[in-house]
Amino acid sequence: MTKLDTLLAEVRACRACAGVLPLGPRPVLQVSATARVLIAGQAPGTKVHASGVPFADASGARLREWMGVSADAFYDASKFAILPMGFCYPGRLDGGGDAPPRTECAPLWRDRLLAFMPDLRLTLLVGSYAQVHALGRGKMTERVRDFQGHLPSMFSLPHPSWRSRHWATQNPWFDAEVLPELRRAIRSALT
Ligand code: SF4
């Protein structure tokens, strides 16, 4: 067993938020020592919690379409790592929508896992939680529009939830200008 396997086993046994997670702990992530692209997402929804497969839902289908990669490529851990800001389904907000990622998670695990991924070249900051963690406070739309400001190491994206369809309609430059560059940045990180 490698040191990364040992750490992963520790993550999978984590119960730090057991008292507050409505469906209990089930960390969902994908890592390997050779990954080149890190997908830094938000937190699993109920479908992902049920399957244990990251982005195995409509958001994942949209994200793969944005990235221009097949499901087979996306789930190739030797190329793509997937670390949401919170690894377990956090529940719902009283007013609707999923609760934010658990804040216990990143300080416990994130840097320790990243230390085992020395070949990462590009991090996709998928949604505002990942962006605030990496870049500090700021407006998501402005960050996505200014995607070139953090290349070649980081690329800001909206979260690909159903809401992003409406957002993309309001911001047509995203499809026209940002997505071709996103695909180019991923190709470059993988070669
Ligand atoms: S969200 Fe993270 S810190 Fe909380 S139980 Fe799951 S793995 Fe542990």
Side-chain angles (χ1 to χ4, degrees):
M1 205 186 226
T2 65
K3 286 184 179 170
L4 177 55
D5 291 335
T6 304
L7 178 57
L8 254 181
E10 263 187 74
V11 171
R12 295 199 193 287
C14 178
R15 307 215 29 99
C17 317
V20 290
L21 294 173
L23 303 181
R26 186 175 195 190
V28 182
L29 61 158
Q30 172 173 304
V31 296
S32 84
T34 60
R36 299 277 191 89
V37 177
L38 171 65
I39 298 163
Q42 187 165 314
T46 49
K47 275 193 183 163
V48 169
H49 174 88
S51 67
V53 180
F55 284 107
D57 56 9
S59 289
R62 193 164 302 125
L63 179 60
R64 288 185 282 278
E65 188 187 320
W66 290 352
M67 293 167 64
V69 299
S70 66
D72 280 354
F74 186 83
Y75 291 116
D76 180 350
S78 72
K79 296 191 172 115
F80 292 99
I82 303 173
L83 290 185
M85 295 312 302
F87 297 157
C88 299
Y89 170 64
R92 302 275 295 171
L93 292 169
D94 287 344
D98 283 352
R102 294 302 310 176
T103 53
E104 297 88 336
C105 203
L108 271 175
W109 300 118
R110 202 163 187 82
D111 286 348
R112 293 173 68 193
L113 286 162
L114 290 174
F116 284 101
M117 291 185 267
D119 294 335
L120 288 176
R121 294 180 178 177
L122 174 66
T123 298
L124 308 185
L125 303 171
V126 181
S128 50
Y129 292 106
Q131 287 161 23
V132 168
H133 180 81
L135 305 172
R137 301 219 159 269
K139 293 207 168 105
M140 184 276 286
T141 299
E142 285 171 17
R143 280 191 166 139
V144 176
R145 179 130 216 177
D146 181 35
F147 68 92
Q148 280 169 325
H150 296 284
L151 282 176
S153 60
M154 290 186 276
F155 203 119
S156 291
L157 294 168
H159 192 275
S161 66
W162 58 271
R163 290 182 196 84
S164 63
R165 255 191 229 166
H166 179 60
W167 179 90
T169 307
Q170 289 183 315
N171 297 282
W173 47 266
F174 179 66
D175 279 14
E177 296 165 34
V178 178
L179 292 186
E181 294 303 323
L182 171 66
R183 291 165 191 158
R184 197 190 317 272
I186 291 169
R187 277 197 304 274
S188 164
L190 292 177
T191 51

